[in-house]
Amino acid sequence: MDWNDFERWGQKAATWGADYHRTKRDRPVRAQVKPGETLAQLPDSPPEAAQPLEDIWDDFQNIVMPGITHWQHPRFFAYFNSNAAPASVLAEFLTSIVAPQCMLWQTSPSATEMETRMMDWLVQALGLPPTYKGVIQDSASSATLAAVLTMRERALNWAGNQQGLAGQRPLRIYCSDQVHSSIDRAIWVAGIGQDNLIKIPTKGPLRAMDTDALQAAITADRAAGYLPAGIIAATGATGMGACDDMAAVADVAERENLYTHLDAAWAGTAMICPEFRHLWEGADRFDSIVFNPHKWLGAQFDCAAHFLRDPDLLRQTLAIRPEYLKTHAEADITDYSEWSIPLGRRFRALKLWFLIRAYGLDGLRDRIRNHVRWSQELCDRLRAEPEFEIVTDPILSLWTFKVKGADNDATQALVDAINDDGRIYITQTLVDGQKAIRFQAGQFDCTEADFDTAFDTITEIARRA
Ligand SMILES: *Cc1c(COP(=O)(O)O)cnc(C)c1O
């Protein structure tokens, strides 16, 4: 295949892509294949001879597509959406054609400067103070790891990278019992150890960290010889959308001189709407904030926006300059690879530029507001049905429910039956040890009618069981 073939196949892919999206409502949301079904259709060994694109294309249709769960389906109500708005797909298409590797300013100046500007745009869109600087990471997990490493190095007076952790006082990091598993993993990878991640109980309708318990844990740890290093808070945690009280957490952090990181991977997008910002009031006192434009906002995966009050702390933690990476004779430039763990970087800012311009902040806000409203209305409709109970009330577009009196097995059986049906896709979660059905909405193209379908599907299958 050469670039002349690319022209023909690229056009074919664009036509197929538009058609796929126009007809995606007709497909079952979750793939309906059995384990091993795809693998069995893939040859055991790679071909020695070149194969025609026609064959590869047909196999894509016949082997790959049946095993795809349609994340861009308007009735994907399961995990947090991973939206790919057409404008961002187009930008990714262009990016993959030009394929720059954007580790240094000089390895593509426009990519670096676009990233700077896009992060400034997002700071404004979220209503954060203009002093925040941003970088695009590949995932929220990476941003959290970078923040945890910064906590570690700052607390150890920058000795950890050099000397390792042996012989240091054990570090402590604090978060609520609702945080995402990426927090635990960051703690493992940073060499801090699960035992030193202290999970503080939560309380109230928003399941916020009990900051009195947080303060008590820090005080006790200091007395016992530990070295507290940082606090990780959440806005919109994965299970049921828990939101910590940022102002109360920041009070503790400032008193204790601890570095703060906020994981708003999903809910951060909603902060482009001023009426939702009460959920993270005080976020502007945090050192590090991450949210994923690749979830609710509509930017093609992957794109995690990481904002820093003082990027120098992160750079001091991660920057490394062998001779071959030095940019000589260029003052006032940014090399974003000094702000992240991988050296190589894709050109991720372009899809934000296309996305924000093609829909405008108003267009993006309209979608978020609709998702929240339609989801909350569906919650109220189910609440009014005698056999259902709402287990946790909506936080933005996320809430949980179950059939009254159903045990964990029956709740799981209902989730499975609904997903086998294919009209909608949902998941389960644990709320205080009990299984509940988790509903969240945020697909870029969903309409109010999709929520009617969700209501019909849920009630019909629950009544059939
Ligand atoms: C999705 C999510 C993550 C993980 O995001 P990745 O970009 O996949 O690493 C972390 N925290 C929360 C609250 C999330 O919703």
Side-chain angles (χ1 to χ4, degrees):
M1 181 183 180
D2 61 18
W3 290 103
N4 294 320
D5 297 321
F6 178 85
E7 186 176 351
R8 184 160 75 87
W9 287 98
Q11 281 164 3
K12 191 164 163 153
T15 303
W16 176 83
D19 203 45
Y20 168 73
H21 280 276
R22 281 190 292 256
T23 58
K24 59 195 173 186
R25 264 195 188 78
D26 305 337
R27 300 167 190 254
V29 191
R30 196 205 56 197
Q32 304 285 323
V33 296
K34 298 270 170 294
E37 228 174 286
T38 306
L39 189 62
Q41 298 178 75
L42 299 171
D44 292 337
S45 307
E48 296 291 343
Q51 299 183 339
L53 245 298
E54 279 77 6
D55 292 359
I56 304 173
W57 178 269
D58 286 349
D59 286 347
F60 167 70
Q61 303 294 343
N62 299 327
I63 300 174
V64 179
M65 286 310 292
I68 291 292
T69 291
H70 300 289
W71 278 75
Q72 307 312 320
H73 196 298
R75 292 189 298 272
F76 186 105
F77 299 121
Y79 309 94
F80 290 136
N81 296 86
S82 189
N83 282 316
S88 84
V89 174
L90 189 58
E92 277 288 66
F93 190 48
L94 301 178
T95 300
S96 72
I97 290 168
V98 183
Q101 204 275 50
C102 311
M103 58 186 179
L104 306 174
W105 176 85
Q106 69 175 9
T107 64
S108 275
S110 61
T112 295
E113 295 181 14
M114 173 82 70
E115 184 161 340
T116 302
R117 185 62 80 214
M118 289 307 102
M119 292 297 96
D120 280 351
W121 281 13
L122 287 180
V123 163
Q124 295 172 49
L126 299 173
L128 288 171
T131 42
Y132 277 90
K133 300 287 172 242
V135 56
I136 306 180
Q137 309 280 11
D138 55 5
S139 61
S141 303
S142 283
T144 295
L145 176 56
V148 167
L149 293 170
T150 307
M151 290 175 184
R152 185 189 84 183
E153 289 307 295
R154 179 178 170 276
L156 294 176
N157 203 17
W158 317 100
N161 282 342
Q162 192 63 36
Q163 298 166 16
L165 300 187
Q168 307 285 3
R169 282 158 69 198
L171 296 159
R172 291 287 216 197
I173 290 177
Y174 307 85
C175 63
S176 88
D177 59 16
Q178 292 291 315
V179 293
H180 188 265
S181 55
S182 58
I183 313 300
D184 301 71
R185 277 222 283 226
I187 298 295
W188 301 356
V189 176
I192 291 169
Q194 185 81 57
D195 291 349
N196 295 313
L197 178 64
I198 306 305
K199 295 202 173 161
I200 307 294
T202 49
K203 58 177 196 184
L206 290 177
R207 306 258 168 172
M209 202 181 327
D210 176 344
T211 45
D212 291 335
L214 171 67
Q215 179 62 64
I218 296 168
T219 305
D221 279 351
R222 286 202 198 281
Y226 291 103
L227 182 57
I231 308 172
I232 299 174
T235 302
T238 313
M240 62 191 96
C243 291
D244 291 318
D245 177 343
M246 296 316 139
V249 173
D251 284 345
V252 175
E254 285 161 15
R255 205 156 51 223
E256 296 286 341
N257 184 27
L258 297 178
Y259 192 86
T260 44
H261 173 65
L262 169 56
D263 176 7
W266 161 65
T269 290
M271 303 308 153
I272 66 172
C273 305
E275 70 270 30
F276 299 132
R277 289 186 192 149
H278 63 93
L279 288 173
W280 78 354
E281 208 175 321
D284 55 357
R285 292 160 65 189
F286 270 58
D287 293 306
S288 163
I289 300 171
V290 66
F291 97 98
N292 280 344
H294 74 224
K295 281 185 169 158
W296 207 352
L297 195 65
Q300 164 94 317
F301 192 82
D302 50 4
C303 184
H306 187 192
F307 304 105
L308 299 144
R309 211 150 50 149
D310 179 2
D312 281 345
L313 296 175
L314 178 62
R315 271 212 301 269
Q316 213 173 329
T317 303
L318 295 179
I320 182 163
R321 288 188 190 147
E323 182 57 31
Y324 54 82
L325 289 179
K326 284 186 186 148
T327 307
H328 293 286
E330 300 286 359
D332 279 339
I333 51 134
T334 304
D335 291 331
Y336 279 118
S337 57
E338 298 189 339
W339 302 41
S340 50
I341 293 158
L343 172 66
R345 317 182 75 248
R346 304 176 59 242
F347 184 9
R348 298 190 182 89
L350 191 70
K351 58 193 165 195
L352 284 173
W353 197 47
F354 272 57
L355 178 80
I356 297 170
R357 293 180 66 188
Y359 305 97
L361 288 177
D362 266 342
L364 297 171
R365 282 188 203 106
D366 281 350
R367 284 182 171 77
I368 305 300
R369 288 173 175 145
N370 282 337
H371 300 164
V372 170
R373 185 160 53 85
W374 295 334
S375 182
Q376 296 191 357
E377 284 169 1
L378 174 63
C379 177
D380 287 340
R381 283 178 76 184
L382 277 189
R383 200 195 303 270
E385 296 297 310
E387 72 265 51
F388 292 103
E389 73 177 273
I390 302 307
V391 179
T392 58
D393 280 315
I395 295 178
L396 298 168
S397 62
L398 167 61
W399 43 279
T400 64
F401 71 102
K402 61 186 281 207
V403 170
K404 278 181 192 159
D407 62 11
N408 285 355
D409 288 345
T411 301
Q412 185 63 52
L414 180 56
V415 170
D416 294 341
I418 288 171
N419 291 339
D420 287 344
D421 171 85
R423 276 174 288 173
I424 68 170
Y425 185 27
I426 51 173
T427 51
Q428 69 288 335
T429 189
L430 286 181
V431 178
D432 303 325
Q434 292 294 306
K435 216 165 252 201
I437 302 177
R438 180 179 178 282
F439 186 95
Q440 75 81 41
Q443 207 282 325
F444 205 75
D445 295 327
C446 66
T447 65
E448 196 163 9
D450 291 310
F451 293 75
D452 293 335
T453 306
F455 178 81
D456 293 345
T457 308
I458 293 166
T459 50
E460 184 189 308
I461 294 177
R463 280 165 194 162
R464 189 203 298 156

